C-alpha cells in the first residue's frame, strides 16, 4: 500500500508517534513522511497528525487536511491535557471536522505529550497570586502527569492504530 505520514510537531512528541506509525508500516511504500504540506497524490492511506494547539490541530495541518479529496485518512495527535478518553474523543471530533467531505476518516488515535516547562512556570506564577485556584492546580497536575509521555505504551498503541488503519 502507498502510505503518507504527514505530521506537525513542535517539540518532538508527535514526531515520535509518527515514527512509531512508520515503523508499523514496514513493508509498505512510504510516499511522504514529514510536515505539511506534502505531495500525497499517490497515497492510498494518509496518516495525518498534529500536536494540539488551543484545542485544535495546527493551522498548517488544517490547511493540509482541507486540500484533500478522495482520500482515506487516519488522524492522530498528541495533547498535553490527555487525562481522559473523553477529552481525546472531543479532540478527535474537532480534528475530524477539518477533513472535507469526499474523504473517508478511517480511524483516529490520540495520546498524551509532555509540555514545555515554561507552561508550568506560568501556572506557578499565577498560583502565587491566586493560591486556591483549583483549575490552576489541576492544570499543574495534568502537566506533571504528561511528563513521561509519549511512553512505550503510547507508541505501542500508535503502532496498533496504524496496523488497524491499514486493514480498514
Ligand atoms: C501554545 C501551546 C498550546 C497548547 N494547547 C493545548 C491544548 O489546547 N490542549 C492540550 O491538550 N495541549 C495543548 N498543548 C500541549 C501540546 O499539544 C502537547 O504538549 C503536544 O504533545 C506537543 O506536541 P509536539 O511535541 O509534537 O509539538 C499546547 C502547547 C503549546 C505550546
Amino acid at each position: 500500500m502507498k502510505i503518507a505520514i504527514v505530521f506537525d510537531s513542535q517539540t518532538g512528541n508527535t514526531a515520535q508517534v509518527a515514527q512509531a506509525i512508520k515503523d508499523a508500516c514496514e513493508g509498505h511504500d512510504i510516499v511522504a513522511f514529514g510536515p505539511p504540506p506534502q505531495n500525497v497524490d499517490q497515497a492510498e492511506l494518509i496518516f495525518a497528525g498534529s500536536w494540539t494547539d488551543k484545542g485544535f490541530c495546527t493551522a498548517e495541518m488544517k490547511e493540509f487536511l482541507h486540500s484533500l479529496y478522495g482520500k482515506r485518512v487516519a488522524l492522530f495527535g498528541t495533547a498535553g491535557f490527555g487525562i481522559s478518553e473523553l477529552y481525546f474523543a472531543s479532540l478527535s471530533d474537532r480534528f475530524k471536522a477539518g477533513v472535507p467531505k469526499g474523504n473517508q476518516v478511517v480511524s483516529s488515535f490520540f495520546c498524551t505529550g509532555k509540555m514545555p516547562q515554561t507552561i508550568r512556570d506560568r501556572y506557578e506564577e499565577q498560583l502565587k497570586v491566586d493560591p486556591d485556584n483549583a483549575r490552576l492546580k489541576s492544570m499543574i497536575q495534568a502537566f506533571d502527569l504528561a511528563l513521561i509521555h509519549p511512553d512505550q505504551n503510547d507508541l505501542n498503541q500508535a503502532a496498533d492504530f496504524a496496523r488497524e488503519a491499514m486493514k480498514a
Side-chain angles (χ1 to χ4, degrees):
M1 195 187 292
K2 290 191 192 316
I3 293 175
I5 304 167
V6 183
F7 56 97
D8 222 344
S9 183
Q10 203 175 44
T11 63
N13 299 330
T14 315
Q16 256 182 288
V17 175
Q19 185 61 48
I21 290 170
K22 188 180 182 207
D23 293 345
C25 293
E26 202 191 338
H28 293 273
D29 187 4
I30 307 295
V31 295
F33 182 81
Q38 295 280 330
N39 183 341
V40 295
D41 291 350
Q42 300 295 313
E44 296 159 284
L45 174 63
I46 301 169
F47 289 98
S50 171
W51 60 283
T52 304
D53 184 7
K54 297 174 199 76
F56 289 90
C57 61
T58 62
E60 289 79 4
M61 180 52 67
K62 226 179 266 179
E63 201 175 321
F64 171 72
L65 292 174
H66 199 72
S67 74
L68 300 179
Y69 182 76
K71 294 293 185 188
R72 291 169 66 237
V73 184
L75 297 170
F76 66 100
T78 64
F81 300 104
I83 40 179
S84 84
E85 284 302 321
L86 210 64
Y87 182 57
F88 286 159
S90 78
L91 287 180
S92 171
D93 285 346
R94 285 183 224 169
F95 279 35
K96 215 183 269 180
V99 181
K101 288 196 180 83
N103 298 285
Q104 185 197 355
V105 177
V106 294
S107 58
S108 60
F109 169 77
F110 283 82
C111 71
T112 313
K114 61 192 158 307
M115 293 181 272
Q117 181 62 33
T118 46
I119 290 187
R120 193 183 200 284
D121 294 345
R122 201 168 61 221
Y123 295 154
E124 287 288 357
E125 282 306 311
Q126 291 169 359
L127 205 57
K128 277 186 200 156
V129 185
D130 187 7
D132 296 324
N133 190 319
R135 187 165 172 271
L136 276 176
K137 285 182 190 169
S138 77
M139 306 268 260
I140 289 174
Q141 202 179 12
F143 179 98
D144 290 343
L145 285 171
L147 278 175
I148 56 160
H149 292 279
D151 61 11
Q152 193 54 50
N153 186 42
D154 297 322
L155 300 179
N156 291 345
Q157 284 185 32
D160 288 344
F161 150 77
R163 284 187 281 266
E164 286 301 315
M166 285 184 281
K167 278 194 254 164

